[in-house]
Amino acid sequence: MAEKAGTSRNVQLQAFDMECDIDVPSNSRSNSECYDEDGRLKRTGNVWTASSHIITAVIGSGVLSLAWAIAQLGWIAGPAVMFLFSLVTFYTSSLLAQCYRTGETNSGKRNYTYMDAVRSILGGANVTFCGIFQYLNLLGIVIGYTIAASISMMAIKRSNCFHQSGGKNPCHMSSNKYMIIFGICEIFLSQIPDFDQIWWLSTVAAIMSFTYSTIGLSLGIAKVAETGTFKGSLTGIRIGPVSQTQKIWRTSQALGDIAFAYSYAVVLIEIQDTIKSPPSEARTMRKATLISIAVTTTFYMLCGCMGYAAFGDAAPGNLLTGFGFYNPYWLIDIANAAIVIHLVGAYQVFSQPIFAFVEKGVTERWPHTVKELKIQIPGLPPYKLNMFRLVWRTVFVVLTSVISMLLPFFNDIVGVIGALGFWPLTVHFPVEMYIAQKKIPKWSSRWICLKIFTMACLIVSVVAAVGSVAGVLLDLKKYKPFHSNY
């Protein structure tokens, strides 16, 4: 991340009991034990902090839509597609991790962001296209997380309301109030300056993701045990309850939902930039990716399959809403609370690259606009409030909250985001950068295999995008802005 103008004079490193004077001249920093060879404060991340960042980014609200996705695909195609997406994500993430440095793996020039990697390796129009896809995808993800968090907060309120009334009150309510509450929380947390300073938030979020995934899995197992049967079919939802056209759209949308559930390529380079070396950042990142993808795929398979087994073709778009009024309702409330806490952290993980991109550009073009105010905190060093950061990040959070109120279609939005971001960011750019980095000869067997792989993923992404957009259009026909009632 770009260094911010006017940061505090002394900085305490997380892993070292020392203070570093940031006023050391840039040409002297490479010899300092407080700085890396590029003159930036020494990175302290490791395989476990990187894994927690990835798990926070990957096991998000997408896990809740997997039972619905498997219901559209069936017992054969559902788990197979999920496993295939995990392999594709691990493979392309390993390729992308090698692009953190241009040239030598251990000593090449660092690329601090995804766009920096594309700029230094591919250049040209690729940088513009990458920027458009990356930042629109990040924006879409935080909007999706705002919607998901509001649904979980509302589920807690509705569940308690339903049980207090003895089931007599249907407890209909709007999600807008809860989106505003979530947005207010994010306004405060968005003032955390940089990616490497939210490691604690990612750790808490990762723990929460395991909490609600485990509860969802347990409730699915309990429901299956109660009925004594595994619901569902080999080919998914039958034609009859839905038309043949709807079956096609839903199957396509399911691919987008699964793609969204594995989406984290947009922040991979930013996560890798927090890792210390030696060993090489690419090696550490590969281990973190392997651990994270293995853990998340296990959870995804269990939650998705048990959710489908419990509800069959009636599997809800958000798994926990299917258990919304069941006992023990307090356990479901805990799961929904864990989702909200997790999404509070995940929102920051996906927002930080946007914040850094805008603030770096403003600092370089108009350095005089970056002003700070000293706020005295009893017993603590003065807090330096960056005025531009306060205004810009607050506006960003407000914007995402308003858009979320306009488009509260969790399942369809998840599919659109996953489909649009999967091919360009998870597959195309990592493969193209790898080909350029390794100087793979054109029309060689390896080059042909990589191109076929890219084209196959493009076809899947297009199919998923078409189905998801069709779902959004159907929802818009019966929707009134700012009147989302559940």
Side-chain angles (χ1 to χ4, degrees), residues 247-469:
K247 169 74 173 176
I248 295 172
W249 293 143
R250 285 180 169 218
T251 300
S252 302
Q253 185 183 330
L255 297 177
D257 286 2
I258 296 174
F260 177 83
Y262 281 102
S263 173
Y264 80 100
V266 285
V267 292
L268 185 145
I269 296 290
E270 283 81 354
I271 292 172
Q272 195 168 349
D273 192 43
T274 68
I275 296 173
K276 63 183 177 183
S277 63
S280 71
E281 299 87 356
R283 183 178 174 185
T284 301
M285 198 65 185
R286 183 180 172 86
K287 286 182 181 178
T289 298
L290 179 60
I291 292 169
S292 305
I293 295 296
V295 169
T296 54
T297 300
T298 301
F299 266 82
Y300 282 0
M301 287 287 189
L302 291 172
C303 289
C305 292
M306 290 310 302
Y308 184 40
F311 292 102
D313 291 350
N318 181 325
L319 178 61
L320 288 175
T321 61
F323 301 107
F325 298 147
Y326 286 74
N327 283 313
Y329 72 95
W330 56 267
L331 184 62
I332 300 167
D333 287 351
I334 291 173
N336 278 304
I339 290 173
V340 175
I341 296 170
H342 171 262
L343 294 178
V344 165
Y347 185 105
Q348 290 302 314
V349 169
F350 283 100
S351 296
Q352 284 293 335
I354 301 177
F355 295 157
F357 174 73
V358 171
E359 288 160 21
K360 179 182 177 181
V362 170
T363 302
E364 289 175 350
R365 177 170 279 190
W366 302 292
H368 63 280
T369 62
V370 183
K371 297 180 180 180
E372 293 183 337
L373 295 176
K374 280 189 178 182
I375 299 176
Q376 297 295 332
I377 303 175
L380 294 172
Y383 176 72
K384 292 191 174 181
L385 180 66
N386 185 306
M387 291 306 297
F388 175 76
R389 183 170 66 219
L390 174 64
V391 174
W392 138 245
R393 295 190 181 189
T394 300
V395 169
F396 175 84
V397 174
V398 170
L399 176 66
T400 57
S401 299
V402 171
I403 295 174
S404 300
M405 293 178 199
L406 284 169
L407 297 170
F409 318 129
F410 172 69
N411 222 46
D412 295 331
I413 293 297
V414 159
V416 172
I417 297 165
L420 294 180
F422 173 69
W423 181 75
L425 299 171
T426 302
V427 180
H428 173 69
F429 286 118
V431 168
E432 291 301 314
M433 286 191 287
Y434 178 75
I435 290 173
Q437 280 266 75
K438 300 300 180 182
K439 296 182 173 59
I440 298 174
K442 200 170 185 179
W443 302 113
S444 65
S445 57
R446 194 175 187 186
W447 184 90
I448 292 172
C449 287
L450 286 170
K451 289 294 184 180
I452 292 173
F453 169 72
T454 302
M455 288 304 299
C457 291
L458 174 60
I459 292 170
V460 171
S461 197
V462 169
V463 169
V466 171
S468 299
V469 170

Side-chain angles (χ1 to χ4, degrees), residues 119-288:
R119 183 179 292 106
S120 64
I121 298 172
L122 299 177
N126 289 291
V127 182
T128 303
F129 286 120
C130 173
I132 292 171
F133 279 113
Q134 182 182 9
Y135 293 109
L136 282 179
N137 192 253
L138 288 169
L139 178 63
I141 289 172
V142 298
I143 290 170
Y145 282 0
T146 302
I147 297 169
S150 71
I151 290 173
S152 290
M153 286 189 280
M154 195 166 45
I156 296 172
K157 180 69 175 177
R158 288 189 68 198
S159 175
N160 294 332
C161 167
F162 183 80
H163 283 86
Q164 286 171 4
S165 68
K168 297 176 182 178
N169 186 349
C171 302
H172 294 303
M173 58 188 68
S174 171
S175 62
N176 292 341
K177 176 174 70 174
Y178 300 96
M179 291 184 191
I180 292 170
I181 293 171
F182 183 79
I184 292 170
C185 293
E186 294 302 341
I187 286 173
F188 285 101
L189 288 172
S190 66
Q191 296 309 307
I192 299 173
D194 294 311
F195 210 125
D196 57 353
Q197 294 178 33
I198 63 170
W199 62 272
W200 59 272
L201 193 57
S202 286
T203 302
V204 171
I207 294 170
M208 291 298 103
S209 67
F210 286 122
T211 300
Y212 69 72
S213 296
T214 302
I215 291 173
L217 172 61
S218 302
L219 290 170
I221 293 172
K223 190 167 177 62
V224 170
E226 180 185 341
T227 59
T229 57
F230 275 72
K231 295 183 178 180
S233 63
L234 296 180
T235 56
I237 190 168
R238 298 182 304 278
I239 295 174
V242 299
S243 67
Q244 187 169 5
T245 302
Q246 287 177 316
K247 169 74 173 176
I248 295 172
W249 293 143
R250 285 180 169 218
T251 300
S252 302
Q253 185 183 330
L255 297 177
D257 286 2
I258 296 174
F260 177 83
Y262 281 102
S263 173
Y264 80 100
V266 285
V267 292
L268 185 145
I269 296 290
E270 283 81 354
I271 292 172
Q272 195 168 349
D273 192 43
T274 68
I275 296 173
K276 63 183 177 183
S277 63
S280 71
E281 299 87 356
R283 183 178 174 185
T284 301
M285 198 65 185
R286 183 180 172 86
K287 286 182 181 178

